[in-house]
């Protein structure tokens, strides 16, 4: 199973690396970072780069697409080459997925009309602008489109994807291999549970 993760300037690293780590451990899966041209692509902090080893043209028909989000999504919404590749690849994918604001790129590619979808809580309502039904859940599956909420939710999405493409035992085995047993020190991972006044500060970190 060929899995493609497109990279664009100012993507959020964990959006891409979380699903990559989960899926790359699975038997029979080959994960490739793609971009307009092969080479390093800087993340949203400007201090970490991932290397795209293939161009969009090199991998036109992957079995799975995982679109990361990040502050660079705003500029990427005007990247016709990226959006065209997503739309064309989707025609033959088994699954087309996104993490965080990557769902806006699915929307801009015309894939979310009439679909249930999610994204980071800070921008969830804006998905309606692409004809989607915003859903405040960590992972949303609608047909062959799978969207994940903010950043860390990409790991949950990838495990759900493994259960669908392989089986639950495979997903559980990978979860155990990477020791994904989250026990955060604070209950601040959602605006519903975080202390009052943190939402604006949190959004300022990633805006």
């Amino acid at each position: 199973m060929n899995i493609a993760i497109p990279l664009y300037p100012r993507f959020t690293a964990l959006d891409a690396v979380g699903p990559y780590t989960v899926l790359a451990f699975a038997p029979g899966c080959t994960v490739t970072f793609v971009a307009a041209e092969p080479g390093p692509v800087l993340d949203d902090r400007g201090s970490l780069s991932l290397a795209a080893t293939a161009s969009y043209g090199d991998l036109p028909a992957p079995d799975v697409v995982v679109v990361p989000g990040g502050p660079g999504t705003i500029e990427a919404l005007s990247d016709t080459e990226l959006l065209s590749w997503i739309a064309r690849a989707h025609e033959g994918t088994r699954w087309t997925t996104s993490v965080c604001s990557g769902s806006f790129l699915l929307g801009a590619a015309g894939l979310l009309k009439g679909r249930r979808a999610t994204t980071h809580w800070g921008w969830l309502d804006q998905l309606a602008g692409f004809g989607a039904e915003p859903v405040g859940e960590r992972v949303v599956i609608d047909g062959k489109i799978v969207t994940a909420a903010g950043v860390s939710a990409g790991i949950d999405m990838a495990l759900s994807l493994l259960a669908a493409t392989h089986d639950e035992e495979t997903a559980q085995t990978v979860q155990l291999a990477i020791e994904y047993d989250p026990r955060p020190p604070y209950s601040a991972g959602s605006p519903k549970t975080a202390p009052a006044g943190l939402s604006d500060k949190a959004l300022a970190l990633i805006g």
Side-chain angles (χ1 to χ4, degrees):
M1 187 166 66
N2 290 313
I3 301 162
I5 302 178
L7 301 176
Y8 52 89
R10 300 181 68 221
F11 69 96
T12 294
L14 187 58
D15 286 13
V17 174
Y20 165 79
T21 301
V22 170
L23 297 170
F25 269 92
C29 290
T30 300
V31 187
T32 304
F33 290 114
V34 299
E37 297 179 357
V41 181
L42 275 175
D43 79 334
D44 56 3
R45 302 296 94 185
S47 56
L48 173 69
S49 65
L50 294 181
T53 56
S55 69
Y56 300 138
D58 293 332
L59 199 60
D63 300 302
V64 177
V65 170
V66 180
V67 181
T73 299
I74 296 174
E75 290 81 11
L77 288 172
S78 301
D79 186 339
T80 55
E81 187 175 7
L82 170 59
L83 298 180
S84 295
W85 177 81
I86 292 172
R88 288 195 305 269
H90 175 69
E91 294 176 4
T93 58
R94 183 173 176 186
W95 300 96
T96 302
T97 77
S98 66
V99 182
C100 197
S101 59
S103 57
F104 288 98
L105 295 175
L106 299 189
L111 307 186
L112 295 186
K113 293 178 182 178
R115 300 273 190 177
R116 300 170 71 251
T118 194
T119 189
H120 189 283
W121 56 265
W123 298 277
L124 180 62
D125 291 344
Q126 296 179 32
L127 280 177
F130 294 97
E133 177 188 342
V135 179
E137 298 176 4
R138 196 155 170 84
V139 177
V140 175
I141 301 175
D142 189 328
K144 69 173 186 176
I145 292 181
V146 186
T147 53
V151 192
S152 64
I155 297 173
D156 294 7
M157 185 275 291
L159 289 169
S160 298
L161 200 62
L162 276 188
T165 58
H166 292 65
D167 50 51
E168 288 189 354
E169 183 177 355
T170 299
Q172 291 170 343
T173 301
V174 171
Q175 180 181 358
L176 180 58
I178 65 174
E179 198 172 349
Y180 182 54
D181 186 23
R183 300 179 188 182
Y186 308 107
S187 297
S190 164
K192 297 177 182 178
T193 59
L198 287 189
S199 292
D200 288 345
K201 293 180 180 179
L203 290 176
L205 289 177
I206 59 176

